[in-house]
């Protein structure tokens, strides 16, 4: 899950090459630790569509996740504020579309489409990106076309003279003005932007962790592994997990294939990539669990069979979901459940930058739940999403409280 890093492991930065890249106003405050004992690796994105929820090792201070070095400076609580983002000055090239590598309209037959596997190009204001030319692969998070689809992509190149940035990969919708609001973006995990107490940066090549220590230093823990904690094999059935506390990890607490009659009860999950992820589940129960400060959502599975309307009869009951989309701002849900005969009841769901839950399929029930403080960062969304398939019918939504 995570390993402690004692404060004694950190020392002032002495490498001239690193000092040259740091902001001179804070370089004396930066500390570095050797993390070569951890087999840490960067999770690469093959394309924009991966929208990974575990791109970087996570650093925690007394159980609170610290932010990576970024610009503009912000915290998870600031994601909905305009000052947490830079604005695209002008979209210069849409780039290719992810589905076919081309950027022609959909009326053109796929076989006739020109392959143009190139990311979009936009201009920016100011000179800040000139600091990143020696930073290696730089990741930018942004709302590249719509305010209901945020994603993180690597930069393909920065033209300082013309103040332009090209994305490395095509975007699923292309770089475009899909909504009337300005297109927002920010840079993540760049050593040159390590300038605020509590921010950190991981050098994957040199195996070094850089940190500006907070004023009040406490227990530092480092979550480096990308392995899911409990791997439940396909065909597994009749297993119970009870009275567990799982925290501080890049991956999921429970992950599995096709499972039956799995019970997860009284488990507190905090600071993880995701809580529970099953490919398919039938007659499973998740009861009295906490999903807190998750990077990429709480629960995801499908159940039953929509072709025959065979019921899955899965139950999510008496659970707390709070701040469950800290990295995937528009791609993570408290739960994403599809299928037939699923029930969600007596849960509290709060703190989401976008859509809080997806429950789609047939004959599902969502009842006696309290939903609050959601859709704080995106647009064209609501607390509950069902989908737009007319064959998904029979779902009952009743006796819930929706507030703030």
């Amino acid at each position: 899950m995570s390993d402690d890093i004692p404060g004694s492991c950190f020392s002032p930065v002495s490498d001239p090459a690193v000092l040259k890249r740091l902001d001179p106003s804070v370089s004396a405050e930066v500390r570095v630790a050797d993390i070569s004992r951890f087999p840490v690796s960067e999770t690469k994105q093959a394309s924009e569509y991966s929208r990974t929820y575990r791109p970087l090792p996570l650093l925690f201070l007394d159980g609170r996740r610290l932010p990576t070095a970024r610009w503009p400076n912000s915290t998870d609580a600031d994601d909905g504020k305009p000052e947490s983002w830079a604005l695209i000055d002008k979209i210069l090239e849409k780039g290719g579309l992810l589905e076919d590598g081309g950027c022609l309209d959909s009326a053109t037959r796929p076989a006739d489409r020109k392959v143009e596997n190139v990311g979009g190009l936009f201009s920016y204001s100011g000179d800040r990106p000139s600091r990143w030319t020696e930073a290696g692969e730089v990741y930018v998070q942004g709302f590249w076309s719509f305010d209901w689809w945020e994603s993180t992509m690597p930069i393909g190149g920065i033209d300082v003279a013309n103040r332009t940035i090209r994305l490395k990969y095509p975007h699923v919708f292309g770089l475009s003005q899909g909504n009337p609001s300005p297109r927002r973006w920010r840079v993540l995990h760049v050593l040159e932007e390590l300038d605020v107490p509590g921010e950190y940066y991981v050098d994957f090549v040199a195996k070094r962790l850089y940190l500006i220590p907070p004023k009040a230093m406490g227990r530092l823990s480092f979550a480096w592994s990308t392995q899911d904690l409990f791997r439940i094999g396909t065909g597994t059935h009749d297993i119970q997990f009870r009275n567990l506390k799982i925290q501080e990890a890049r991956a999921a607490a429970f992950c599995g294939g096709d499972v039956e009659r799995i019970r997860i009860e009284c488990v507190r999950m905090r600071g993880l990539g995701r809580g529970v992820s099953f490919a398919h589940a039938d007659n499973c129960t998740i009861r009295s669990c906490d999903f807190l400060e998750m990077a990429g959502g709480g629960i995801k599975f499908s159940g039953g069979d929509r072709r025959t309307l065979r019921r899955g009869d899965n139950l999510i009951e008496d659970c707390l979901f709070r701040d469950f989309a800290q990295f995937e701002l528009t791609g993570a849900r408290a739960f994403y459940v599809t299928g037939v005969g699923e029930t969600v009841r007596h849960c509290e769901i709060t703190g989401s930058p976008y859509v809080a839950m997806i429950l789609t399929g047939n004959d599902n029930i969502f009842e006696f739940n309290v939903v609050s403080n959601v859709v704080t960062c995106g647009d064209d969304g609501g607390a509950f999403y069902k989908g737009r398939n007319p064959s998904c019918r029979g779902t009952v939504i009743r006796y819930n409280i929706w507030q703030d």
Side-chain angles (χ1 to χ4, degrees):
M1 290 178 281
S2 66
D3 292 278
D4 288 353
I5 301 182
S8 59
C9 292
F10 289 89
S11 60
V13 177
S14 58
D15 187 335
V18 174
L19 289 170
K20 181 182 176 181
R21 293 175 58 189
L22 291 171
D23 187 329
S25 66
V26 297
S27 59
E29 302 175 34
V30 178
R31 297 293 182 266
V32 59
D34 184 344
I35 55 171
S36 57
R37 69 182 186 276
F38 304 120
V40 64
S41 62
E42 183 177 15
T43 301
K44 295 287 187 179
Q45 287 182 268
S47 69
E48 184 277 337
Y49 195 74
S50 59
R51 303 180 79 192
T52 178
Y53 59 81
R54 47 187 178 189
L56 297 168
L58 304 177
L59 188 65
F60 296 85
L61 173 64
D62 292 332
R64 178 176 60 88
R65 185 168 65 88
L66 296 177
T68 62
R70 61 180 66 185
W71 179 82
N73 289 318
S74 62
T75 65
D76 295 325
D78 298 330
D79 287 332
K81 298 178 180 179
E83 58 268 26
S84 299
W85 303 86
L87 299 180
I88 288 179
D89 189 49
K90 185 178 181 180
I91 295 173
L92 302 176
E93 295 179 22
K94 182 176 182 178
L97 300 182
L98 180 68
E99 289 89 342
D100 52 46
C103 57
L104 302 182
D105 64 82
S106 59
T108 306
R109 295 182 304 168
D112 297 333
R113 294 181 184 178
K114 179 182 177 182
V115 174
E116 196 170 335
N117 192 27
V118 62
L121 179 72
F122 66 90
S123 62
Y124 59 83
S125 299
D127 297 316
R128 196 77 179 197
S130 64
R131 297 162 52 92
W132 314 331
T133 55
E134 298 181 20
E137 188 157 73
V138 176
Y139 280 85
V140 283
Q141 183 180 32
F143 293 80
W144 304 113
S145 186
F146 300 98
D147 282 335
W148 43 264
W149 187 284
E150 150 276 332
S151 58
T152 301
M153 302 179 68
I155 287 177
I158 301 174
D159 186 335
V160 174
N162 294 307
R163 290 188 171 89
T164 63
I165 291 177
R166 180 169 306 272
L167 300 179
K168 188 172 182 178
Y169 299 117
H171 184 267
V172 62
F173 298 114
L175 185 57
S176 64
Q177 192 65 49
N179 285 112
S181 58
R183 297 295 93 221
R184 296 171 283 166
W185 65 283
R186 63 187 176 194
V187 65
L188 301 176
H189 196 246
V190 179
L191 179 62
E192 287 78 358
E193 296 301 338
L194 186 63
D195 56 3
V196 175
E199 285 188 341
Y200 71 97
Y201 172 82
V202 177
D203 186 329
F204 293 95
V205 177
K207 304 297 183 183
R208 295 292 185 269
L209 170 65
Y210 294 89
L211 170 72
I212 298 183
K215 293 181 179 180
M217 275 291 284
R219 170 181 170 266
L220 280 175
S221 52
F222 188 56
W224 52 270
S225 175
T226 59
Q227 297 297 314
D228 297 315
L229 304 180
F230 289 96
R231 297 284 299 181
I232 304 173
T234 294
T236 301
H237 58 87
D238 297 292
I239 294 180
Q240 296 187 32
F241 299 88
R242 291 180 56 87
N243 301 322
L244 298 174
K245 182 179 180 180
I246 305 172
Q247 62 185 15
E248 301 174 6
R250 294 170 75 182
F254 301 91
C255 185
D258 294 354
V259 298
E260 290 186 69
R261 297 183 297 281
I262 303 296
R263 299 178 69 89
I264 302 173
E265 297 183 327
C266 302
V267 177
R268 181 181 175 88
M269 290 162 269
R270 185 184 58 77
L272 309 178
R274 180 176 289 153
V276 180
S277 180
F278 294 141
H280 189 90
D282 284 331
N283 298 292
C284 293
T285 298
I286 302 174
R287 177 183 286 123
S288 301
C289 294
D290 292 343
F291 299 83
L292 312 175
E293 302 162 25
M294 315 296 280
I299 300 171
K300 185 175 183 178
F301 62 75
S302 65
D305 187 345
R306 290 196 60 241
R307 292 173 298 178
T308 63
L309 294 183
R310 178 181 60 81
R311 295 176 61 87
D313 283 324
N314 296 295
L315 172 65
I316 302 172
E317 184 177 45
D318 194 27
C319 292
L320 169 62
F321 301 87
R322 187 178 68 214
D323 300 333
F324 47 84
Q326 292 193 335
F327 186 83
E328 288 186 26
L329 302 183
T330 60
R333 321 287 178 223
F335 58 84
Y336 189 147
V337 177
T338 65
V340 183
E342 321 291 21
T343 299
V344 180
R345 65 187 179 210
H346 296 295
C347 293
E348 181 180 351
I349 302 161
T350 184
S352 172
Y354 194 54
V355 173
M357 66 210 84
I358 294 179
L359 180 62
T360 184
N362 300 81
D363 304 328
N364 301 312
I365 297 176
F366 183 79
E367 62 182 3
F368 301 107
N369 302 286
V370 178
V371 184
S372 65
N373 193 33
V374 299
V375 197
T376 60
C377 187
D379 193 7
D380 191 17
F384 187 100
Y385 189 80
K386 174 186 174 293
R388 47 189 180 271
N389 185 336
S391 70
C392 294
R393 51 198 307 177
T395 290
V396 176
I397 303 173
R398 63 190 179 190
Y399 315 132
N400 301 286
I401 295 176
W402 312 82
Q403 60 190 16
D404 300 332

